Short mmCIF file of all heavy atoms in Angstrom, two decimals:
data_model
loop_
_atom_site.label_atom_id
_atom_site.label_comp_id
_atom_site.label_asym_id
_atom_site.label_seq_id
_atom_site.Cartn_x
_atom_site.Cartn_y
_atom_site.Cartn_z
N VAL C 940 81.93 103.13 -39.00
CA VAL C 940 82.76 104.14 -38.33
C VAL C 940 82.03 105.49 -38.36
O VAL C 940 81.48 105.90 -39.38
CB VAL C 940 84.12 104.27 -39.06
CG1 VAL C 940 84.93 105.45 -38.49
CG2 VAL C 940 84.91 102.97 -38.93
N GLY C 941 82.01 106.14 -37.23
CA GLY C 941 81.35 107.45 -37.13
C GLY C 941 79.95 107.37 -36.55
O GLY C 941 79.37 108.38 -36.16
N GLN C 942 79.41 106.14 -36.47
CA GLN C 942 78.03 105.98 -35.97
C GLN C 942 77.97 105.48 -34.53
O GLN C 942 76.89 105.35 -33.95
CB GLN C 942 77.27 104.98 -36.87
CG GLN C 942 77.02 105.51 -38.26
CD GLN C 942 76.29 106.85 -38.24
OE1 GLN C 942 75.22 106.98 -37.65
NE2 GLN C 942 76.90 107.87 -38.82
N GLU C 943 79.16 105.19 -33.95
CA GLU C 943 79.16 104.51 -32.64
C GLU C 943 78.57 105.37 -31.52
O GLU C 943 77.80 104.88 -30.68
CB GLU C 943 80.56 103.98 -32.29
CG GLU C 943 81.66 105.02 -32.12
CD GLU C 943 82.31 105.51 -33.42
OE1 GLU C 943 81.73 105.31 -34.50
OE2 GLU C 943 83.39 106.13 -33.33
N VAL C 944 78.92 106.65 -31.51
CA VAL C 944 78.40 107.51 -30.44
C VAL C 944 76.90 107.76 -30.67
O VAL C 944 76.11 107.74 -29.72
CB VAL C 944 79.19 108.84 -30.37
CG1 VAL C 944 78.52 109.82 -29.42
CG2 VAL C 944 80.63 108.57 -29.91
N GLU C 945 76.52 107.93 -31.93
CA GLU C 945 75.10 108.16 -32.24
C GLU C 945 74.25 106.98 -31.80
O GLU C 945 73.17 107.15 -31.23
CB GLU C 945 74.92 108.38 -33.76
CG GLU C 945 75.32 109.76 -34.23
CD GLU C 945 74.74 110.88 -33.37
OE1 GLU C 945 73.51 110.89 -33.17
OE2 GLU C 945 75.51 111.73 -32.89
N LYS C 946 74.74 105.77 -32.07
CA LYS C 946 73.98 104.57 -31.68
C LYS C 946 73.86 104.49 -30.16
O LYS C 946 72.79 104.17 -29.63
CB LYS C 946 74.68 103.31 -32.24
CG LYS C 946 73.98 102.02 -31.90
CD LYS C 946 72.67 101.86 -32.65
CE LYS C 946 71.92 100.62 -32.24
NZ LYS C 946 70.58 100.53 -32.84
N ALA C 947 74.96 104.81 -29.48
CA ALA C 947 74.92 104.79 -28.01
C ALA C 947 73.93 105.83 -27.49
O ALA C 947 73.16 105.57 -26.55
CB ALA C 947 76.31 105.04 -27.44
N LYS C 948 73.93 107.01 -28.11
CA LYS C 948 72.98 108.06 -27.70
C LYS C 948 71.54 107.59 -27.89
O LYS C 948 70.69 107.84 -27.04
CB LYS C 948 73.19 109.32 -28.58
CG LYS C 948 74.26 110.25 -28.12
CD LYS C 948 74.10 111.54 -28.93
CE LYS C 948 75.35 112.32 -29.00
NZ LYS C 948 75.32 113.36 -30.04
N GLU C 949 71.30 106.97 -29.04
CA GLU C 949 69.94 106.50 -29.35
C GLU C 949 69.45 105.54 -28.25
O GLU C 949 68.31 105.63 -27.79
CB GLU C 949 70.02 105.78 -30.70
CG GLU C 949 68.75 105.28 -31.29
CD GLU C 949 69.08 104.43 -32.54
OE1 GLU C 949 69.84 104.88 -33.43
OE2 GLU C 949 68.58 103.29 -32.59
N ILE C 950 70.33 104.64 -27.82
CA ILE C 950 69.94 103.67 -26.78
C ILE C 950 69.69 104.40 -25.46
O ILE C 950 68.70 104.13 -24.76
CB ILE C 950 71.03 102.58 -26.62
CG1 ILE C 950 71.10 101.73 -27.89
CG2 ILE C 950 70.74 101.70 -25.41
CD1 ILE C 950 72.25 100.74 -27.93
N ILE C 951 70.56 105.35 -25.12
CA ILE C 951 70.39 106.06 -23.85
C ILE C 951 69.11 106.91 -23.88
O ILE C 951 68.36 106.97 -22.90
CB ILE C 951 71.64 106.91 -23.51
CG1 ILE C 951 72.81 105.97 -23.17
CG2 ILE C 951 71.36 107.86 -22.34
CD1 ILE C 951 74.12 106.67 -22.89
N GLU C 952 68.84 107.55 -25.02
CA GLU C 952 67.60 108.34 -25.13
C GLU C 952 66.39 107.43 -24.91
O GLU C 952 65.43 107.81 -24.23
CB GLU C 952 67.49 109.03 -26.49
CG GLU C 952 68.44 110.21 -26.68
CD GLU C 952 68.12 111.43 -25.80
OE1 GLU C 952 67.12 111.44 -25.08
OE2 GLU C 952 68.93 112.38 -25.83
N LYS C 953 66.42 106.26 -25.50
CA LYS C 953 65.29 105.33 -25.32
C LYS C 953 65.13 104.97 -23.83
O LYS C 953 64.03 105.03 -23.29
CB LYS C 953 65.51 104.06 -26.15
CG LYS C 953 64.38 103.07 -25.99
CD LYS C 953 64.68 101.75 -26.65
CE LYS C 953 64.00 101.63 -28.00
NZ LYS C 953 64.11 100.29 -28.57
N ILE C 954 66.25 104.63 -23.18
CA ILE C 954 66.18 104.23 -21.77
C ILE C 954 65.68 105.40 -20.92
O ILE C 954 64.98 105.20 -19.92
CB ILE C 954 67.56 103.72 -21.29
CG1 ILE C 954 67.93 102.43 -22.04
CG2 ILE C 954 67.58 103.49 -19.77
CD1 ILE C 954 69.36 101.96 -21.82
N SER C 955 66.00 106.63 -21.34
CA SER C 955 65.61 107.81 -20.53
C SER C 955 64.10 108.03 -20.52
O SER C 955 63.60 108.82 -19.73
CB SER C 955 66.33 109.06 -21.02
OG SER C 955 65.73 109.53 -22.21
N THR C 956 63.37 107.34 -21.40
CA THR C 956 61.90 107.47 -21.36
C THR C 956 61.28 106.48 -20.38
O THR C 956 60.08 106.50 -20.15
CB THR C 956 61.28 107.20 -22.76
OG1 THR C 956 61.50 105.84 -23.11
CG2 THR C 956 61.87 108.13 -23.81
N LYS C 957 62.09 105.60 -19.82
CA LYS C 957 61.57 104.56 -18.89
C LYS C 957 61.63 105.09 -17.47
O LYS C 957 62.18 106.15 -17.19
CB LYS C 957 62.41 103.28 -19.01
CG LYS C 957 62.75 102.86 -20.42
CD LYS C 957 61.55 102.51 -21.26
CE LYS C 957 61.95 102.11 -22.68
NZ LYS C 957 60.80 101.96 -23.59
N GLY C 958 61.07 104.31 -16.54
CA GLY C 958 61.09 104.70 -15.13
C GLY C 958 62.53 104.72 -14.62
O GLY C 958 63.18 103.66 -14.60
N PRO C 959 63.05 105.86 -14.19
CA PRO C 959 64.48 105.93 -13.83
C PRO C 959 64.86 105.09 -12.61
O PRO C 959 65.95 104.51 -12.59
CB PRO C 959 64.72 107.42 -13.55
CG PRO C 959 63.38 108.04 -13.39
CD PRO C 959 62.40 107.18 -14.14
N ILE C 960 63.95 104.99 -11.63
CA ILE C 960 64.35 104.15 -10.48
C ILE C 960 64.27 102.66 -10.85
O ILE C 960 65.01 101.84 -10.32
CB ILE C 960 63.56 104.48 -9.18
CG1 ILE C 960 62.07 104.53 -9.41
CG2 ILE C 960 64.07 105.77 -8.54
CD1 ILE C 960 61.25 104.69 -8.13
N ALA C 961 63.38 102.35 -11.77
CA ALA C 961 63.31 100.95 -12.24
C ALA C 961 64.57 100.60 -13.04
O ALA C 961 65.11 99.49 -12.92
CB ALA C 961 62.06 100.75 -13.10
N VAL C 962 65.05 101.56 -13.83
CA VAL C 962 66.29 101.34 -14.59
C VAL C 962 67.45 101.13 -13.62
O VAL C 962 68.22 100.17 -13.73
CB VAL C 962 66.56 102.53 -15.54
CG1 VAL C 962 67.98 102.50 -16.08
CG2 VAL C 962 65.55 102.54 -16.69
N ALA C 963 67.56 102.04 -12.65
CA ALA C 963 68.67 101.96 -11.69
C ALA C 963 68.63 100.64 -10.92
O ALA C 963 69.66 99.97 -10.75
CB ALA C 963 68.61 103.14 -10.72
N LYS C 964 67.45 100.25 -10.48
CA LYS C 964 67.33 99.01 -9.69
C LYS C 964 67.61 97.79 -10.55
O LYS C 964 68.20 96.81 -10.08
CB LYS C 964 65.93 98.93 -9.06
CG LYS C 964 65.84 97.92 -7.95
CD LYS C 964 66.67 98.36 -6.75
CE LYS C 964 66.59 97.37 -5.62
NZ LYS C 964 67.33 97.84 -4.43
N SER C 965 67.19 97.84 -11.80
CA SER C 965 67.45 96.70 -12.69
C SER C 965 68.95 96.49 -12.86
O SER C 965 69.44 95.35 -12.85
CB SER C 965 66.81 96.93 -14.07
OG SER C 965 65.42 97.00 -13.95
N ILE C 966 69.70 97.59 -13.01
CA ILE C 966 71.16 97.46 -13.12
C ILE C 966 71.71 96.79 -11.87
O ILE C 966 72.48 95.83 -11.92
CB ILE C 966 71.83 98.84 -13.33
CG1 ILE C 966 71.46 99.44 -14.68
CG2 ILE C 966 73.35 98.74 -13.19
CD1 ILE C 966 71.92 100.89 -14.88
N SER C 967 71.27 97.31 -10.72
CA SER C 967 71.80 96.79 -9.46
C SER C 967 71.42 95.31 -9.25
O SER C 967 72.24 94.50 -8.81
CB SER C 967 71.32 97.72 -8.34
OG SER C 967 71.01 97.03 -7.20
N LEU C 968 70.19 94.95 -9.60
CA LEU C 968 69.77 93.54 -9.44
C LEU C 968 70.58 92.64 -10.37
O LEU C 968 71.00 91.55 -9.98
CB LEU C 968 68.28 93.40 -9.74
CG LEU C 968 67.32 93.97 -8.69
CD1 LEU C 968 65.88 93.98 -9.21
CD2 LEU C 968 67.40 93.18 -7.38
N MET C 969 70.82 93.09 -11.59
CA MET C 969 71.60 92.24 -12.51
C MET C 969 73.05 92.12 -12.05
O MET C 969 73.65 91.05 -12.17
CB MET C 969 71.47 92.77 -13.94
CG MET C 969 70.11 92.42 -14.53
SD MET C 969 69.95 92.79 -16.27
CE MET C 969 69.50 94.52 -16.17
N ASN C 970 73.60 93.20 -11.50
CA ASN C 970 74.96 93.10 -10.94
C ASN C 970 75.02 92.08 -9.81
O ASN C 970 76.04 91.41 -9.61
CB ASN C 970 75.45 94.46 -10.44
CG ASN C 970 75.87 95.38 -11.59
OD1 ASN C 970 76.16 94.92 -12.68
ND2 ASN C 970 75.89 96.67 -11.31
N SER C 971 73.92 91.97 -9.05
CA SER C 971 73.94 91.08 -7.89
C SER C 971 74.08 89.61 -8.32
O SER C 971 74.50 88.77 -7.52
CB SER C 971 72.70 91.28 -7.02
OG SER C 971 71.58 90.68 -7.63
N TYR C 972 73.76 89.30 -9.57
CA TYR C 972 73.95 87.93 -10.07
C TYR C 972 75.40 87.49 -9.91
O TYR C 972 75.70 86.32 -9.70
CB TYR C 972 73.53 87.85 -11.55
CG TYR C 972 73.69 86.48 -12.16
CD1 TYR C 972 72.73 85.49 -11.96
CD2 TYR C 972 74.82 86.15 -12.90
CE1 TYR C 972 72.88 84.22 -12.51
CE2 TYR C 972 74.99 84.89 -13.45
CZ TYR C 972 74.01 83.93 -13.25
OH TYR C 972 74.18 82.67 -13.79
N PHE C 973 76.31 88.47 -10.03
CA PHE C 973 77.74 88.16 -9.97
C PHE C 973 78.35 88.42 -8.60
O PHE C 973 79.55 88.37 -8.43
CB PHE C 973 78.49 88.97 -11.04
CG PHE C 973 77.98 88.67 -12.43
CD1 PHE C 973 77.18 89.58 -13.10
CD2 PHE C 973 78.28 87.47 -13.03
CE1 PHE C 973 76.70 89.30 -14.37
CE2 PHE C 973 77.80 87.17 -14.30
CZ PHE C 973 77.01 88.09 -14.97
N ASP C 974 77.49 88.74 -7.62
CA ASP C 974 77.97 89.00 -6.26
C ASP C 974 77.78 87.72 -5.45
O ASP C 974 76.65 87.31 -5.17
CB ASP C 974 77.15 90.17 -5.67
CG ASP C 974 77.57 90.49 -4.24
OD1 ASP C 974 78.32 89.69 -3.63
OD2 ASP C 974 77.10 91.52 -3.74
N LYS C 975 78.92 87.13 -5.07
CA LYS C 975 78.84 85.82 -4.40
C LYS C 975 78.11 85.90 -3.06
O LYS C 975 77.63 84.90 -2.53
CB LYS C 975 80.25 85.25 -4.20
CG LYS C 975 80.92 84.88 -5.51
CD LYS C 975 82.31 84.28 -5.30
CE LYS C 975 82.99 83.95 -6.61
NZ LYS C 975 83.41 85.14 -7.38
N ASN C 976 78.05 87.10 -2.48
CA ASN C 976 77.39 87.24 -1.17
C ASN C 976 75.93 87.65 -1.26
O ASN C 976 75.28 87.85 -0.24
CB ASN C 976 78.14 88.29 -0.33
CG ASN C 976 79.58 87.88 -0.12
OD1 ASN C 976 79.84 86.74 0.24
ND2 ASN C 976 80.51 88.80 -0.38
N ALA C 977 75.42 87.78 -2.47
CA ALA C 977 74.03 88.26 -2.59
C ALA C 977 73.12 87.15 -3.12
O ALA C 977 73.55 86.28 -3.86
CB ALA C 977 73.99 89.45 -3.55
N ASP C 978 71.86 87.21 -2.70
CA ASP C 978 70.85 86.32 -3.27
C ASP C 978 69.99 87.17 -4.20
O ASP C 978 69.09 87.90 -3.76
CB ASP C 978 70.01 85.71 -2.15
CG ASP C 978 68.92 84.78 -2.69
OD1 ASP C 978 68.59 84.88 -3.89
OD2 ASP C 978 68.40 83.96 -1.92
N GLY C 979 70.31 87.13 -5.47
CA GLY C 979 69.65 87.99 -6.45
C GLY C 979 68.15 87.78 -6.52
O GLY C 979 67.39 88.73 -6.72
N PHE C 980 67.71 86.53 -6.36
CA PHE C 980 66.26 86.26 -6.43
C PHE C 980 65.55 86.94 -5.26
O PHE C 980 64.50 87.55 -5.42
CB PHE C 980 66.00 84.75 -6.42
CG PHE C 980 66.30 84.11 -7.76
CD1 PHE C 980 67.48 83.43 -7.98
CD2 PHE C 980 65.39 84.21 -8.81
CE1 PHE C 980 67.76 82.87 -9.21
CE2 PHE C 980 65.65 83.64 -10.05
CZ PHE C 980 66.85 82.97 -10.25
N GLU C 981 66.16 86.83 -4.08
CA GLU C 981 65.56 87.47 -2.91
C GLU C 981 65.54 89.00 -3.09
O GLU C 981 64.53 89.65 -2.83
CB GLU C 981 66.35 87.09 -1.66
CG GLU C 981 65.74 87.66 -0.38
CD GLU C 981 66.56 87.29 0.86
OE1 GLU C 981 67.36 86.33 0.80
OE2 GLU C 981 66.39 87.97 1.87
N LEU C 982 66.66 89.53 -3.55
CA LEU C 982 66.71 90.99 -3.78
C LEU C 982 65.63 91.40 -4.78
O LEU C 982 65.00 92.44 -4.64
CB LEU C 982 68.09 91.40 -4.30
CG LEU C 982 69.23 91.27 -3.29
CD1 LEU C 982 70.59 91.46 -3.97
CD2 LEU C 982 69.07 92.30 -2.16
N GLU C 983 65.41 90.55 -5.78
CA GLU C 983 64.42 90.89 -6.81
C GLU C 983 63.00 90.91 -6.23
O GLU C 983 62.25 91.86 -6.45
CB GLU C 983 64.51 89.90 -7.97
CG GLU C 983 63.61 90.30 -9.13
CD GLU C 983 63.60 89.28 -10.25
OE1 GLU C 983 64.45 89.35 -11.14
OE2 GLU C 983 62.72 88.39 -10.23
N TRP C 984 62.62 89.88 -5.46
CA TRP C 984 61.22 89.90 -4.97
C TRP C 984 61.01 91.02 -3.97
O TRP C 984 59.94 91.63 -3.90
CB TRP C 984 60.70 88.54 -4.51
CG TRP C 984 61.30 87.83 -3.31
CD1 TRP C 984 62.08 86.73 -3.34
CD2 TRP C 984 61.09 88.14 -1.91
NE1 TRP C 984 62.41 86.33 -2.07
CE2 TRP C 984 61.81 87.17 -1.17
CE3 TRP C 984 60.39 89.12 -1.22
CZ2 TRP C 984 61.84 87.18 0.22
CZ3 TRP C 984 60.41 89.12 0.17
CH2 TRP C 984 61.15 88.15 0.88
N LYS C 985 62.06 91.32 -3.20
CA LYS C 985 61.93 92.44 -2.26
C LYS C 985 61.76 93.76 -3.02
O LYS C 985 60.91 94.59 -2.70
CB LYS C 985 63.14 92.52 -1.34
CG LYS C 985 63.12 91.45 -0.26
CD LYS C 985 64.29 91.59 0.68
CE LYS C 985 64.15 90.60 1.83
NZ LYS C 985 65.41 90.42 2.54
N ALA C 986 62.58 93.94 -4.05
CA ALA C 986 62.49 95.17 -4.85
C ALA C 986 61.13 95.26 -5.52
O ALA C 986 60.52 96.34 -5.57
CB ALA C 986 63.60 95.19 -5.90
N PHE C 987 60.66 94.13 -6.00
CA PHE C 987 59.37 94.13 -6.70
C PHE C 987 58.27 94.65 -5.79
O PHE C 987 57.43 95.46 -6.20
CB PHE C 987 59.05 92.71 -7.18
CG PHE C 987 57.96 92.68 -8.20
CD1 PHE C 987 58.23 93.00 -9.52
CD2 PHE C 987 56.65 92.36 -7.85
CE1 PHE C 987 57.21 93.00 -10.46
CE2 PHE C 987 55.64 92.36 -8.78
CZ PHE C 987 55.92 92.68 -10.10
N GLY C 988 58.32 94.22 -4.54
CA GLY C 988 57.33 94.70 -3.56
C GLY C 988 57.45 96.20 -3.36
O GLY C 988 56.44 96.93 -3.35
N GLU C 989 58.68 96.68 -3.23
CA GLU C 989 58.86 98.13 -3.01
C GLU C 989 58.36 98.93 -4.22
O GLU C 989 57.77 99.99 -4.07
CB GLU C 989 60.35 98.45 -2.79
CG GLU C 989 60.87 98.00 -1.42
CD GLU C 989 62.39 97.86 -1.38
OE1 GLU C 989 63.06 98.45 -2.25
OE2 GLU C 989 62.89 97.14 -0.50
N PHE C 990 58.57 98.39 -5.40
CA PHE C 990 58.18 99.14 -6.60
C PHE C 990 56.67 99.22 -6.78
O PHE C 990 56.16 100.17 -7.38
CB PHE C 990 58.85 98.54 -7.85
CG PHE C 990 60.20 99.15 -8.11
CD1 PHE C 990 61.31 98.74 -7.38
CD2 PHE C 990 60.36 100.18 -9.02
CE1 PHE C 990 62.54 99.32 -7.57
CE2 PHE C 990 61.59 100.78 -9.22
CZ PHE C 990 62.68 100.35 -8.49
N ALA C 991 55.95 98.25 -6.20
CA ALA C 991 54.49 98.27 -6.35
C ALA C 991 53.90 99.54 -5.76
O ALA C 991 52.84 100.01 -6.18
CB ALA C 991 53.89 97.04 -5.68
#
Side-chain angles (χ1 to χ4, degrees):
V940 173
Q942 292 305 305
E943 63 278 16
V944 171
E945 283 312 307
K946 180 70 184 174
K948 275 192 203 165
E949 184 188 309
I950 293 172
I951 291 177
E952 287 292 355
K953 179 188 260 189
I954 294 170
S955 76
T956 66
K957 317 296 179 189
I960 49 173
V962 166
K964 196 67 180 184
S965 296
I966 293 172
S967 143
L968 288 170
M969 284 188 276
N970 283 339
S971 75
Y972 180 81
F973 301 105
D974 179 349
K975 292 181 182 71
N976 301 313
D978 179 341
F980 284 100
E981 183 181 341
L982 291 170
E983 186 184 273
W984 66 251
K985 284 183 174 163
F987 195 79
E989 287 160 19
F990 271 79

